[in-house]
């Protein structure tokens, strides 16, 4: 819950200065695997959190992005609740802004944690907004230095900054077209076209072999050597899921690879994990 003793919850301007509003940002991590696949479900969760917290809901607007992702806003009489969700990372960023003391932030945070099935919820900031100095207050708001920090929004920028030895991506493509993942020729064509897309030079043939007498593991497995390392994958017949791994000591764009795989195998959604290898 909201811990006012935490470093990120410290207010830059002390109590002698009035604030017009309060804003918190919340990181919902390790959420349920299907928490953000249904736009109406995300909207319902946000509306429920607003109502439970005591906010007066005015309107709401939500949008599903292609191939996946949800953004939305619940306008309340006291300000707003906003969300952007990344289904591929089981993650959502939530912003709650209120100009009223009547809204219970703890209740709102907990309601969304439950709805999103988040196993790791972090309140990344808790701050006052819109400073109004009282007549007895001589210091200006600008006299209080505000420290800000920025994290990179680009894997390429972070890759350039860290200079790791390699980049590893794990792609899980769910609910693929059954006929496509059971077609060795289609899988080989995918590998060839993917290498062209991410500008990787292939070495040797793409090996696609059928494994698994047990129905729980049956499906094609694939390997392809590339100039900068390896592409591999397994295509599970039981669940119609494609598990693809790309490892390269030269940069490529992970999201581009994931979205191409999603389109190629006609999947419904994907999960993406990215790691820099030192």
């Amino acid at each position: 819950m909201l811990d006012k003793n935490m470093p990120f919850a410290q207010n830059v301007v002390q109590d002698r200065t009035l604030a017009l509003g309060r804003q918190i940002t919340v990181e919902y991590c390790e959420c349920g695997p299907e928490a953000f696949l249904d736009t109406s479900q995300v909207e319902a969760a946000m509306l429920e959190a607003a109502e439970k917290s005591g906010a007066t809901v005015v309107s709401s607007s939500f949008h599903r992005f292609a191939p996946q992702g949800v953004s939305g806003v619940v306008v309340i009489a006291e300000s707003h609740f906003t969300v952007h969700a990344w289904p591929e990372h089981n993650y959502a960023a939530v912003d709650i802004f209120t100009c009223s003391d009547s809204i219970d932030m703890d209740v709102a945070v907990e309601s969304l944690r439950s709805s999103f099935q988040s196993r790791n919820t972090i309140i990344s900031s808790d701050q006052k907004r819109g400073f109004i100095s009282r007549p007895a207050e001589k210091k200006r708001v600008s006299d209080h230095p505000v420290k800000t920090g920025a994290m990179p929004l680009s894997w390429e920028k972070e890759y350039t900054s860290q200079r790791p030895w390699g980049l590893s991506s794990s792609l899980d493509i769910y609910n693929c077209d059954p006929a496509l993942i059971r077609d060795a020729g289609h899988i080989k064509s995918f590998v060839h076209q993917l290498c062209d897309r991410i500008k990787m030079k292939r070495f040797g043939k793409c090996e696609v072999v059928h494994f698994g007498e047990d129905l729980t593991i049956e499906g094609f497995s694939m390997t392809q050597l590339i100039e900068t390392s390896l592409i591999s994958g397994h295509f599970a017949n039981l669940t119609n899921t494609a598990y693809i791994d790309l490892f390269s000591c030269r940069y490529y764009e992970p999201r581009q690879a994931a979205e191409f795989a999603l389109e190629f195998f006609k999947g419904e959604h994907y999960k993406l994990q990215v790691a820099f290898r030192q």
Side-chain angles (χ1 to χ4, degrees):
M1 304 307 355
L2 300 185
D3 184 354
K4 295 180 181 178
N5 295 319
M6 298 180 72
F8 57 71
Q10 293 177 353
N11 296 310
V12 175
V13 179
Q14 303 303 318
D15 292 338
R16 292 187 65 190
T17 299
L18 293 175
L20 297 178
R22 181 186 179 197
Q23 182 179 27
I24 68 170
T25 57
V26 192
E27 323 301 318
Y28 290 95
C29 310
E30 301 178 64
C31 296
E34 299 184 354
F36 309 123
L37 301 182
D38 184 340
T39 306
S40 60
Q41 180 177 315
V42 177
E43 182 173 13
M46 293 291 288
L47 287 168
E48 181 180 27
E51 291 166 356
K52 283 185 174 179
S53 71
T56 304
V57 175
V58 175
S59 65
S60 63
S61 178
F62 282 73
H63 176 75
R64 184 182 189 278
F65 293 93
Q68 59 190 27
V70 177
S71 283
V73 58
V74 174
V75 178
I76 59 176
E78 301 82 3
S79 196
H80 66 253
F81 282 51
T82 64
V83 62
H84 187 74
W86 285 261
E88 64 268 35
H89 301 300
N90 296 330
Y91 165 79
V94 170
D95 180 314
I96 303 175
F97 190 104
T98 175
C99 57
S100 170
D101 290 333
S102 64
I103 293 179
D104 192 325
M105 294 287 206
D106 286 350
V107 169
V109 171
E110 174 59 24
S111 177
L112 289 173
R113 186 205 63 75
S114 177
S115 294
F116 296 157
Q117 301 176 352
S118 171
R119 296 193 299 168
N120 186 12
T121 300
I122 303 167
I123 299 169
S124 48
S125 69
D126 183 357
Q127 56 188 318
K128 294 179 180 179
R129 301 296 302 278
F131 302 115
I132 305 295
S133 295
R134 299 178 183 181
E137 180 64 50
K138 295 182 180 180
K139 287 188 176 181
R140 299 171 301 167
V141 172
S142 59
D143 291 334
H144 299 270
V146 179
K147 295 182 179 179
T148 61
M151 294 293 289
L153 297 177
S154 163
W155 275 307
E156 185 173 12
K157 288 183 180 178
E158 183 69 355
Y159 183 89
T160 302
S161 173
Q162 290 194 24
R163 300 179 65 184
W165 189 90
L167 175 67
S168 176
S169 298
S170 296
L171 319 176
D172 299 345
I173 314 297
Y174 295 93
N175 297 325
C176 299
D177 184 324
L180 299 182
I181 66 167
R182 289 166 173 78
D183 184 337
H186 192 77
I187 294 172
K188 289 180 181 179
S189 179
F190 161 73
V191 173
H192 291 183
Q193 292 186 45
L194 175 64
C195 288
D196 291 341
R197 288 275 184 119
I198 61 176
K199 297 180 173 55
M200 298 296 180
K201 183 178 179 181
R202 292 180 287 113
F203 275 89
K205 295 180 179 179
C206 176
E207 299 291 341
V208 180
V209 181
H210 189 272
F211 282 108
E213 295 180 0
D214 187 335
L215 293 178
T216 60
I217 61 172
E218 181 184 10
F220 280 113
S221 287
M222 168 271 293
T223 57
Q224 172 67 67
L225 294 174
I226 57 176
E227 182 181 41
T228 51
S229 195
L230 176 71
I231 298 174
S232 62
H234 185 73
F235 302 82
N237 291 350
L238 181 65
T239 58
N240 295 320
T241 303
Y243 301 98
I244 302 167
D245 292 290
L246 294 82
F247 183 51
S248 171
C249 60
R250 185 172 65 78
Y251 182 78
Y252 61 90
E253 179 52 52
R255 189 180 297 276
Q256 180 186 20
E259 295 185 356
F260 175 69
L262 181 73
E263 178 184 5
F264 203 89
F265 292 108
K266 300 188 185 303
E268 288 187 0
H269 64 284
Y270 70 88
K271 302 294 183 186
L272 169 63
Q273 297 183 62
V274 180
F276 294 147
R277 307 292 295 274
Q278 299 290 351

